[in-house]
Amino acid sequence: MGQCGITSSKTVLVFLNLIFWAAAGILCYVGGYVFVTFDDYDHFFEDVYTLIPAVTIIAVGALLFIIGLIGCCATVRESYCGLTTFVVILLLVFLTEVAVVVLGYVYRAKVEHEVNVSIKKVYDEYNGTNSNSQSRAIDYIQRQLQCCGIHNYSDWQNTQWYKESKNNSVPISCCKNNVVSCTGSLTRHADLYQEGCEALVVKKMEEIMMYVIWTALTFATIQMLGMLCACVVLCRRSRDPAYELLITGGTYA
């Protein structure tokens, strides 16, 4: 019965190590996705705090590759030292992922305030030229999120760009995709996106933080199972001298 249990634990542990390698790739992908998305929205954040969970899960992903290798070798050879190292590192990674979840929730709560503070400043610095980073950022999010202005298209009337242009229009990026002849004129507001960008930017960033949180939670749960199986193997070895001799090829004196 005991031998059956240890064999089952080893099988599950080897399978989990293969999952760890897959998890490493997924974690690195999620972290990279956060980096790329943040680069598109970085003008709307005074602080780079949203990158902290991303950096952490990329580091965890890289570490999981190493953990998977150690875990497979230690499980197959049933090395006490290797399995102990595996459990300790896995515990550290588990605690790190718990920290990512906590940080994700903390920073997710700050997103709305951060966007509210910075978005008006970015719109005020819009000048309509491609050389201006604020202009590129606003045109990008208005096309990408299909929005116009902070709360709606009428917000453009309060910007310096609108007052200087004096043509009673908003940027072309406010035009709906299916309207070919749109010039951004406020006299044809039906051609423009009706929803403001502030709420959509907040929603987008909160969704990204939730991706990070759920990814970390999922793999933290898998790692708990990995630690449990490794502990079963370790406990079996330490409590059963006969099993130890069987593994090492020794005999009783």
Side-chain angles (χ1 to χ4, degrees), residues 64-78:
L64 276 179
F65 277 112
I66 301 173
I67 290 174
L69 181 61
I70 294 174
C72 277
C73 293
T75 303
V76 171
R77 298 185 60 180
E78 298 194 21

Side-chain angles (χ1 to χ4, degrees), residues 168-243:
N168 194 35
S169 65
V170 296
I172 300 298
S173 57
C174 281
C175 294
K176 295 178 179 178
N177 290 332
N178 59 348
V179 181
V180 179
S181 59
C182 178
T183 61
S185 174
L186 287 175
T187 59
R188 300 179 59 182
H189 56 80
D191 294 347
L192 309 175
Y193 294 124
Q194 304 298 305
E195 193 169 359
C197 294
E198 182 181 54
L200 294 179
V201 170
V202 171
K203 180 181 178 182
K204 180 71 173 179
M205 297 310 297
E206 287 181 341
E207 285 177 352
I208 291 172
M209 296 306 294
M210 285 306 299
Y211 292 153
V212 173
I213 290 169
W214 281 110
T215 301
L217 274 176
T218 300
F219 292 115
T221 302
I222 295 173
Q223 286 161 21
M224 284 184 64
L225 184 57
M227 286 187 289
L228 179 62
C229 291
C231 287
V232 168
V233 177
L234 286 171
C235 289
R236 174 65 177 172
R237 290 198 57 174
S238 62
R239 292 180 181 179
D240 192 343
Y243 180 76

Side-chain angles (χ1 to χ4, degrees), residues 7-72:
T7 302
S8 299
S9 296
K10 285 173 59 181
T11 302
V12 173
L13 194 53
V14 170
F15 179 70
L16 286 175
N17 282 309
L18 297 178
I19 293 179
F20 290 158
W21 280 330
I26 294 173
L27 288 172
C28 289
Y29 171 81
V30 172
Y33 175 71
V34 174
F35 266 105
V36 171
T37 305
F38 181 83
D39 187 55
D40 295 328
Y41 293 84
D42 62 345
H43 286 88
F44 303 98
F45 296 92
E46 298 291 338
D47 197 356
V48 294
Y49 60 81
T50 51
L51 292 181
I52 295 177
V55 172
T56 305
I57 64 172
I58 288 177
V60 168
L63 190 57
L64 276 179
F65 277 112
I66 301 173
I67 290 174
L69 181 61
I70 294 174
C72 277

Side-chain angles (χ1 to χ4, degrees), residues 110-165:
K110 292 183 178 180
V111 166
E112 184 172 1
H113 172 73
E114 190 75 17
V115 173
N116 290 345
V117 169
S118 60
I119 194 167
K120 188 178 186 305
K121 178 182 176 182
V122 178
Y123 269 84
D124 286 340
E125 294 176 354
Y126 183 91
N127 64 15
T129 64
N130 195 50
S131 59
N132 179 262
S133 60
Q134 286 82 2
S135 298
R136 291 197 306 271
I138 290 174
D139 286 335
Y140 173 82
I141 67 161
Q142 290 192 152
R143 291 192 181 97
Q144 188 75 11
L145 302 180
Q146 298 185 352
C147 57
C148 183
I150 299 175
H151 301 102
N152 55 57
Y153 60 83
S154 65
D155 292 324
W156 278 104
Q157 294 175 298
N158 300 320
T159 63
Q160 191 64 31
W161 174 83
Y162 178 87
K163 295 173 183 176
E164 292 177 354
S165 62

